[in-house]
Amino acid sequence: MVLLTVLDTLLFIVGAIGMVYQGVCIVASLFAKPVTFPEAAMDKRYAVLISARNEEHVIGNLITCLHEQTYPSGLIDIWVVADNCTDGTARVVRDMGCHVVERHNMQQVGKGYALTYLLDYMIDAGLSDTYDAYFVFDADNKLDRHYFEEMNKAFQSGFKILTSYRNSVNLADNWVSSGSALWFIRESRFLNNSRMLFGSSCHVGGTGFMFSKEIMKRNKGWKFHLLTEDLEFTMDSVLHGDRVGYCGSAILYDEQPITFAQSWRQRLRWSRGFLQVFRYYGPQLIRRAIKERDFSAVDFTLLLCPFTMLGVIRAVLGVIFAACGFVTWQSQLGAVTGWSSGIVLAVLGMMALAGLTIIAERGQIGATNKELFAYVLSFPIYMLSYVPISFQAIFSKVQWKPIEHKAELCRASPRVALGHMHQGFYQGDCERHFCRGSECGGMDAVCGIVPDSV
């Protein structure tokens, strides 16, 4: 049937273009000098926006990191929206000197709604104009001490929207956390880094990004409420002609899910969110790509393309047409054989990608070589699990649900809190890391001395 041939051709073309583009990005990132920014005066005033739901055990780590930045602390104001909290989150951050706004709304649930509430409060109170730009972080994040200093350089170079290098505090926990962590490191090192080299727009992640006062005013605060509000914000910015920048020297550390159930639930939300964003922004991106010849629009059209949905439609139609006698079962079995070969190549490619990411960023990854070898082998399993997740996302009604984070992460595991920063940690070279005393660990051992590799 012609329809099946068209779908097969479309899947092949989209897949091939995506693989070639990834390859070009990797080569460019490995061999071209990364974009850097000149020194800049540290005189801009920034607001930090944090949406927190029952995060009393981990948010103190982030607040400590913010207080210990090399950027003048008097120019950084911390605003926390305690979103539907039933614990002591508001009390903890208030005692640490932060501005706290409490929100209680179980109908409009999610980070996007919480950010809207917080910025609306600041606008109504006449406080929003006092800041040059706004940073967004998750409550479980930790920051390199030079984070704001580096982002300030990029901001004063002319970027109105910026994202940063996203590392993880718990890559070495198990194969689930390593899969997620390697994916984010890959995106920073190979994709966003290359987009800067190409002069195109970068992708804002869910945390560790900033936007200027002008962008905030244009959006009348925060107007993005889909399941992946960060992706929605990126697409809206690209359609407005903004170029999202990337500052690879500003390093953020995120906590990844450690159970497969948590990871499945999180990625199910992401997959459903991608479909939502494609529905609302895909046609506009395609039009902009054609009319404006905007490479960023082409890039993000490929990113949003519902490849799994097309594959499911192709497989279902193949079965239906074969059952009705329009095509032979033999021809469909032949197609399945071709797909199987593609899956084998994809597995090998994902193992190579994980290995290359580890080699390129070894100084930023805290795990033994034995562990990393195991995570290279498990990375395809993590990635292939996206297939059933994406399939479920087509039919499921997905809602935002919080991910439980580790309580007192730093005290619980010094290696998890610190080991990711430098291989030397495993030889006991504590003073070169974040420890300020004779003992590694503790709430205040995170944001001290920056390692040589930063």
Side-chain angles (χ1 to χ4, degrees), residues 373-439:
F373 179 74
Y375 296 151
V376 167
L377 298 179
S378 65
F379 186 68
I381 301 175
Y382 174 85
M383 292 306 302
L384 287 175
S385 65
Y386 260 113
V387 175
I389 289 172
S390 299
F391 179 78
Q392 181 183 351
I394 298 173
F395 306 102
S396 297
K397 183 179 179 181
V398 182
Q399 294 181 334
W400 186 90
K401 294 182 180 180
I403 298 294
E404 183 179 352
H405 298 122
K406 291 182 179 179
E408 303 282 48
L409 180 65
C410 299
R411 286 195 178 94
S413 176
R415 176 184 165 205
V416 171
L418 307 171
H420 62 283
M421 285 306 300
H422 200 284
Q423 300 171 63
F425 175 77
Y426 296 113
Q427 284 82 49
D429 189 13
C430 293
E431 291 184 359
R432 297 181 61 201
H433 296 82
F434 288 165
C435 305
R436 286 196 296 269
S438 60
E439 180 181 356

Side-chain angles (χ1 to χ4, degrees), residues 52-99:
R53 182 173 181 178
N54 294 338
E55 303 281 13
E56 65 177 350
H57 295 298
V58 297
I59 196 169
N61 293 331
L62 173 59
I63 305 304
T64 298
C65 287
L66 290 167
H67 286 163
E68 297 186 353
Q69 289 291 300
T70 57
Y71 197 86
S73 59
L75 296 178
I76 301 175
D77 287 347
I78 306 170
W79 289 82
V80 178
V81 53
D83 188 31
N84 292 314
C85 289
T86 57
D87 68 351
T89 297
R91 173 185 53 79
V92 168
V93 295
R94 190 176 286 115
D95 289 346
M96 298 185 76
C98 305
H99 303 281

Side-chain angles (χ1 to χ4, degrees), residues 190-450:
F190 294 133
L191 288 187
N192 280 339
N193 188 36
S194 297
R195 286 164 175 155
M196 287 293 287
L197 295 171
F198 301 154
S200 60
S201 187
C202 299
H203 175 214
V204 166
T207 183
F209 65 95
M210 61 96 77
F211 51 90
S212 69
K213 177 170 62 177
E214 292 75 19
I215 298 296
M216 184 276 295
K217 286 186 173 182
R218 185 182 72 196
N219 293 327
K220 296 179 176 60
W222 185 265
K223 63 177 183 179
F224 309 102
H225 304 122
L226 297 181
L227 288 171
T228 47
E229 75 287 329
D230 54 334
L231 187 64
E232 183 185 5
F233 173 58
T234 302
M235 299 308 116
D236 181 81
S237 300
V238 169
L239 290 172
H240 277 92
D242 299 319
R243 184 187 172 202
V244 179
Y246 165 69
C247 183
S249 55
I251 305 175
L252 170 141
Y253 301 91
D254 196 16
E255 183 184 345
Q256 307 306 327
I258 58 174
T259 70
F260 190 64
Q262 283 183 333
S263 176
W264 184 288
R265 188 171 72 242
Q266 183 185 64
R267 290 184 289 155
L268 179 63
R269 176 175 64 83
W270 292 348
S271 297
R272 183 65 180 180
F274 264 70
L275 294 176
Q276 290 179 337
V277 174
F278 182 79
R279 174 187 174 188
Y280 290 108
Y281 293 88
Q284 299 176 66
L285 284 171
I286 294 172
R287 285 196 295 269
R288 182 176 179 85
I290 295 173
K291 292 183 179 180
E292 304 292 336
R293 297 179 182 178
D294 184 347
F295 180 73
S296 295
V298 176
D299 183 356
F300 290 119
T301 298
L302 288 173
L303 176 70
L304 292 176
C305 180
F307 195 82
T308 301
M309 178 182 289
L310 291 175
V312 169
I313 293 173
R314 166 61 181 87
V316 171
L317 288 178
V319 171
I320 293 175
F321 287 175
C324 294
F326 298 140
V327 296
T328 65
W329 285 107
Q330 185 177 2
S331 67
Q332 297 312 294
L333 289 175
V336 171
T337 301
W339 296 342
S340 300
S341 300
I343 291 174
V344 172
L345 291 175
V347 168
L348 295 175
M350 284 185 282
M351 289 173 60
L353 180 59
L356 193 59
T357 301
I358 289 170
I359 292 171
E361 297 297 282
R362 185 64 181 93
Q364 301 290 347
I365 296 175
T368 65
N369 291 334
K370 183 178 179 180
E371 288 173 327
L372 291 176
F373 179 74
Y375 296 151
V376 167
L377 298 179
S378 65
F379 186 68
I381 301 175
Y382 174 85
M383 292 306 302
L384 287 175
S385 65
Y386 260 113
V387 175
I389 289 172
S390 299
F391 179 78
Q392 181 183 351
I394 298 173
F395 306 102
S396 297
K397 183 179 179 181
V398 182
Q399 294 181 334
W400 186 90
K401 294 182 180 180
I403 298 294
E404 183 179 352
H405 298 122
K406 291 182 179 179
E408 303 282 48
L409 180 65
C410 299
R411 286 195 178 94
S413 176
R415 176 184 165 205
V416 171
L418 307 171
H420 62 283
M421 285 306 300
H422 200 284
Q423 300 171 63
F425 175 77
Y426 296 113
Q427 284 82 49
D429 189 13
C430 293
E431 291 184 359
R432 297 181 61 201
H433 296 82
F434 288 165
C435 305
R436 286 196 296 269
S438 60
E439 180 181 356
C440 286
M443 289 286 287
D444 61 349
V446 179
C447 305
I449 301 171
V450 178

Side-chain angles (χ1 to χ4, degrees), residues 20-36:
V20 170
Y21 177 59
Q22 290 269 343
V24 171
C25 287
I26 290 172
V27 172
S29 183
L30 287 174
F31 295 103
K33 185 177 180 180
V35 175
T36 57

